[in-house]
């Protein structure tokens, strides 16, 4: 701006139009950023220790089929669990994710976010190990303490898998069959037997 606009910080007695004030502001900014990084590292360490101890950090309000009990335990939500079982049962009977989503929408059932079902939301349920009672922790990580953007953990940090962490909605054999079907390679068209 012409003339330049300055900011005066009364508490710190810093004027940005003064060269000394600009230097002090730069130093204070660097110290604040370093403090933010240190706090982020401490939080990350704490979360990782909880994961190692088998204590997940899960928001059950964002997960279909479970509610949090009085003592923090996972309690099956019977109404939502019907939808989860329906998805798995239809899938192992050979229905596609698209067809299951269409059926759920026709039945008036909604996702945990009160939205209509799509093939991708059905596949998310089918791939979620929590429905069999297991839990995998640290699937995502936050690489940058400034943006707090979460990314998929592709081996940058250890993952922790706990079997039988809570009561499953789906039995183990249904889960195993669904996973086999999800990850099978479809046979090529024209292959002979």
């Amino acid at each position: 701006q012409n003339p330049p606009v300055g900011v005066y910080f009364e508490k710190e007695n810093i004027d940005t139009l003064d060269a000394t004030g600009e230097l002090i502001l730069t130093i204070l900014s660097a110290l604040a950023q370093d403090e933010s990084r240190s706090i982020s590292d401490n939080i990350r360490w704490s979360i990782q220790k909880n994961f190692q101890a088998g204590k997940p950090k899960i928001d059950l309000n964002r997960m279909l089929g479970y509610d949090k009990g009085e003592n923090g335990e996972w309690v099956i939500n019977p109404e939502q669990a019907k939808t989860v079982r329906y998805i798995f049962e239809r899938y192992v009977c050979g229905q596609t994710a698209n067809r299951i989503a269409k059926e759920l929408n026709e039945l008036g059932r909604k996702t945990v976010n009160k939205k209509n079902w799509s093939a991708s939301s059905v596949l998310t349920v089918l791939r979620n190990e929590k429905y069999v009672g297991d839990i995998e922790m640290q699937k995502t990580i936050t690489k940058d303490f400034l943006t707090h953007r979460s990314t998929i953990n592709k081996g940058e940090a250890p993952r922790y898998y706990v079997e039988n962490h809570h009561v499953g909605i789906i039995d183990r054999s249904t889960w195993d069959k669904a996973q086999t079907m999800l990850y099978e390679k479809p046979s090529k068209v024209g292959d002979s037997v």
Side-chain angles (χ1 to χ4, degrees):
Q1 297 258 348
N2 196 5
V5 176
V7 177
Y8 182 73
F9 297 89
E10 289 180 359
K11 184 179 173 190
E12 293 82 6
N13 194 24
I14 298 173
D15 184 357
T16 59
L17 291 177
D18 179 20
T20 306
E22 192 68 36
L23 176 64
I24 292 171
L25 197 57
T26 303
I27 292 168
L28 290 175
S29 296
L31 290 172
Q33 184 170 334
D34 190 54
E35 179 67 15
S36 180
R37 183 200 48 75
S38 177
I39 290 169
S40 179
D41 288 347
N42 290 340
I43 291 170
R44 185 179 296 118
W45 179 85
S46 171
I47 290 170
Q48 190 147 5
K49 287 297 176 192
N50 283 336
F51 287 165
Q52 289 171 352
K55 298 176 189 171
K57 186 179 179 201
I58 304 287
D59 182 2
L60 292 179
N61 294 324
R62 296 179 58 205
M63 188 172 165
L64 188 71
Y66 289 100
D67 294 322
K68 192 170 244 181
E70 290 178 17
N71 300 319
E73 74 278 10
W74 294 36
V75 179
I76 293 176
N77 178 314
E79 193 57 39
Q80 292 178 2
K82 287 179 190 175
T83 302
V84 173
R85 287 187 191 102
Y86 182 88
I87 290 169
F88 277 89
E89 288 165 8
R90 298 295 290 146
Y91 190 76
V92 298
C93 287
Q95 287 302 320
T96 64
N98 276 323
R99 179 71 192 149
I100 296 168
K102 185 176 181 200
E103 291 172 0
L104 289 169
N105 291 329
E106 288 170 356
L107 292 168
R109 297 194 190 170
K110 299 290 182 186
T111 67
V112 72
N113 299 322
K114 310 290 184 228
K115 295 183 179 177
N116 285 334
W117 285 90
S118 65
S120 65
S121 55
V122 168
L123 289 170
T124 297
V125 169
L126 289 168
R127 291 185 179 118
N128 194 334
E129 78 288 341
K130 294 170 195 75
Y131 292 119
V132 74
D134 297 350
I135 191 163
E136 184 174 9
M137 295 169 279
Q138 203 156 289
K139 290 181 188 179
T140 61
I141 57 171
T142 304
K143 291 182 182 178
D144 186 352
F145 70 94
L146 294 174
T147 63
H148 300 285
R149 187 173 297 133
S150 200
T151 59
I152 294 173
N153 180 0
K154 296 179 180 174
E156 296 95 340
R159 289 185 177 206
Y160 303 95
Y161 197 94
V162 178
E163 289 188 2
N164 303 314
H165 171 268
H166 54 275
V167 177
I169 294 173
I170 304 303
D171 63 79
R172 186 72 58 183
S173 64
T174 302
W175 167 258
D176 290 341
K177 185 172 184 181
Q179 298 317 293
T180 300
M181 292 171 69
L182 278 168
Y183 297 105
E184 276 180 345
K185 300 234 188 271
S187 59
K188 293 179 185 170
V189 177
D191 280 355
S192 57
V193 179

